[in-house]
Amino acid sequence: MNFSLLSSEMLAAGLGTGLLILGLIAPKTENRRGFGYITAFGLLAVLVATFFQYGINQSTFHELWIVDDYSVFMKQVFIVAAILVVLSAVDFVETLPRFRGEFFALIVYALLGMMVMASANDLITIYVGLELMTITFFVLVAYQLGDGRSSEAGIKYLILGSVSSAVLLYGMSILYGLTGTTTIPEMLTKLTWSPILVVAIVMLIGGFGFKISLVPFHMWSPDIYEGAPTPITAFLAVASKAAGFAVMVRVFLLGLPLEGAVDWMLLISLLAGITMVIGNVVAIPQTNIKRMLAYSSVAQAGYMIAGLMSMDAPGVKGILFYSMIYVVANVGAFTVATLVRRALDTDTIADYAGLGQRQPLLASTLTICLLSLAGIPPLSGFVGKFYIFQAVMDKGILWPAFVGFVMSMISVYYYLNVALYMWRDDPKDDRPVPVPGPAKLVIVLSLVVTVVLGVYPGPLGELATMAAKSLF
Amino acid sequence: MGFPLLTIALLAPIIGALILMFVPEDEHRTIKGISAFFTGISLILSLVAYFGYDFALGGYQFVEDLVWIKEIGVTYAMGVDGISLPMLLLTNLIGFSAVFASWNVNKRPKTFFVLLLLLIAGVMGTFISRDLFIFFLFYEVVVIPLYIMVVIWGSTKRVTKEYAGMKLTIYLLIGSAFLLVGVIALYLNAFPVGERTFLIEKLAQAQMSDSFQIFAFLLLLIGFGSLLSMFPFHSWSPDGYAGAPTAVSMIHAGVLKKIGGYGLIRIGLLVLPVGAKFWAPVIAVLAVCNVAYAAMIALAQKDLKYVVGYSSVSHMGYVLIGFAALNVIGINGAIANMFAHGVMSALFFAMIGFVYEKTHTRWIPDMGGLAHQMPRAAIGLMMAGMASLGLPGLVSFIPEFTIFIGAFKVYPVLATICISAIIITALYTLRALANVLFGPRRPEFDQYQDAKGPELVPLVVLGSVLVLAGFFPSLLMDMVNSGVEPMLKPLMDTLNSAPAIGGGF
């Protein structure tokens, strides 16, 4: 047994527990801003540690746990998301009535769940990681005590999340019944066609589809995104979704044979197409920025899942690359939303009027991040879409590229709508929109990374290629 | 690698925009001065490139190569030849003039000029990159500044500026979605894994099946065609120009549109000759629709900007039919006409913008006798108008003439229709100009001053090019020919033997 394969997880678990203990030791009257910085630096250390895990490509605990470049890359995506979210929330926690210190600890535990998911090579380990993440999110979503909407979102997420977990678990148990194993590589060799396998795969798609908000399992996301505290919405939208992808890619590409079993690709590609269309079309009439971003993230899930269709390393590379830039752009957008919410107490897009004059930095970042999500060159979102659809087209499948690119151009309509209010209109009043230091760092980082990765995607692309190749 | 002239020309406006971000909002003069300075650098450098181009050597010159994304074969490859140099020069002529045409923008000038400079840099980038990927990056960079500029500084007349801006944006973007699929398909089909590249000259050497070329060219045609306002994808153009502020109309009608024509020639024709041949008859028919249909609509317009908007759609028809001829003469004419139309329409929009700024009207029935109060602006409008109807001695006569020679050999009937549409062009141009400029003096316009100082720069710069290139057409035509002939000659056999749709009608 090689415990070093668990090093980054152990570090994260230690960090979370340390934060909890620190919360007990530190006087109640002190504010908890410092916790944010501790968490951010701790996560940075974990991030650095993960770099030493590249190139290991080993599994341990009887194949239950695998550390390949793919899992390491995915973990880095989650950690980057967590760092950005924590920094953007440093000042946000002050608005919380109670349990400020535990806020960061819970984020670290959710992250730990995701990291377990990325390295899990076995259905039960996947489920454990998934539940660690999901249950932590139940708490985090309802964290704004005394805010009815937050509690409502928490309850909704609890019920729907539990149902989806149950469905997923049922699907997994059927797979176990069919093969007598829970490890993914072994499943691949033992599965053959049977009607019950169809049921199992539909349930898996339902369970994972809930996490990545694939249409028609996306209904929860607008409500919960709207109600949850904004930094948590950001974390939910980016990291939890990326974790869903991390597992889905591994289970479907490595665990479920296409030939001689069930053609799950048909269902996945159908849902991908529908997701791209529905997500973008429904986002158009939204007036609340968080709901708009929710539908936009549904659409993004459609683009990403399309990468599965190529069934090879370039497609997975596209998904990996896209996850990273999706994280950065979305966190940037949500951070702006957090700041505007704090200053102006509103999430309505029309109230963003004049942000271009109030805070050009915020308005520019939001514009750039949204356009990156829309996939406008030379921003990173374009390169991500390019990698994904190029890989799919290389297999001779043309239609996802048409649907994807046309829908992403249509999405420009609702993204630009936000830009329209921010840049065209004058502010309605002269309340300032302050940008505290750590949040400013997040904003500048997301702005710079979004632009730089769009213009010069080479290094990240190569890293993603290496990660993707380790799967095959 | 020697002196990176093209990169510096490209970066100058971007650096200018960065500097502008740190200038206080209320220092209007400084902001405008900085913009003029940096676009001036680009203009000078493109003049240096234009007149420093070595005809004897030919091919791409001022070449820069830098591996950009090794994995997928993207190179930061810059370089200009006889096809792209006129476009580069045109971009900077218009960009420089557009800064001065916006001299009186006093509403949030900082944002305006930052966006304007980014727009100019984006357009320039498409013309000088030799790599399809980089080309595409620049191609779409322009869309967003464009939209924001229309909705903030645009004007609401027949349609709201929000509508105009969004229509323009969505048309271009949906077109570009098809284009993008075409580009990726081209990239994947040209070479096997490992040898793939986006370099246009390498792609042109690839062996691609006829059916693939026909399919990919159609996608490119939809993309570039909607940018070029090819019938039936043209309706964004008049609305968009009418809603846009002067500088945006100038750049859009003057150069941005030309990316469509440039792309069709550079990528469509030179990389996919069989596809081009197959679709050429369709393009020719659509071109005639452009020429005749848009000219007739222009005849009925009462808003000056709509007249010029439809006129530019009509002129793009000439470019398209020149292209569809698929011979050296026709393509020469098409490129030269893009240059000519660019200068002419930019001058037109600059002058209309100036008149509108003073009188706050573009409604032709409300105007008249403006030549009494604004003789200089009237000169500009007249020059642009005369160029538009192809008066010999001005820039657009020779290009149009060349196009007709080239097209007549291939499509005698269609070319004849196009030639006769010139009469309609003359009709609407003269009618509009006569109503606006001449007639009895109107006392309500007496309070307005004529163009002076910086306002004169667009008139002087664009006007002198108009005359110079009219009197010395070889300045333009030799350059274009040096780019087209060596590229097209080796393709002539393929072009002649390839089938056309429906047997070429």
Side-chain angles (χ1 to χ4, degrees), chain B residues 3-28:
Chain B
F3 178 69
L5 182 129
L6 294 175
T7 300
I8 294 178
L10 177 67
L11 285 181
I14 296 176
I15 293 169
L18 285 178
I19 294 176
L20 280 189
M21 287 179 190
F22 298 99
V23 176
E25 175 85 64
D26 51 356
E27 293 180 11
H28 291 192

Side-chain angles (χ1 to χ4, degrees), chain A residues 89-141:
Chain A
V90 166
D91 286 85
F92 166 81
V93 287
E94 302 219 341
T95 63
L96 292 174
R98 290 171 66 194
F99 309 123
R100 292 172 183 173
E102 287 78 2
F103 184 80
F104 295 113
L106 285 171
I107 289 186
V108 176
Y109 283 125
L111 171 70
L112 182 61
M114 296 167 196
M115 290 166 76
V116 171
M117 286 164 80
S119 266
N121 200 24
D122 155 280
L123 294 179
I124 295 177
T125 320
I126 288 176
Y127 189 74
V128 170
L130 191 90
E131 283 307 282
L132 177 55
M133 173 184 91
T134 312
I135 293 172
T136 320
F137 267 121
F138 293 155
V139 183
L140 283 170
V141 167

Side-chain angles (χ1 to χ4, degrees), chain B residues 170-208:
Chain B
I170 292 290
Y171 260 86
L172 297 193
L173 286 179
I174 302 275
S176 80
F178 287 92
L179 180 59
L180 190 54
V181 178
V183 165
I184 298 178
L186 181 60
Y187 163 73
L188 294 174
N189 264 279
F191 295 104
V193 186
E195 298 166 33
R196 284 182 180 155
T197 174
F198 276 101
L199 269 182
I200 297 174
E201 60 247 45
K202 290 259 180 65
L203 289 174
Q205 292 160 6
Q207 298 295 323
M208 284 174 276

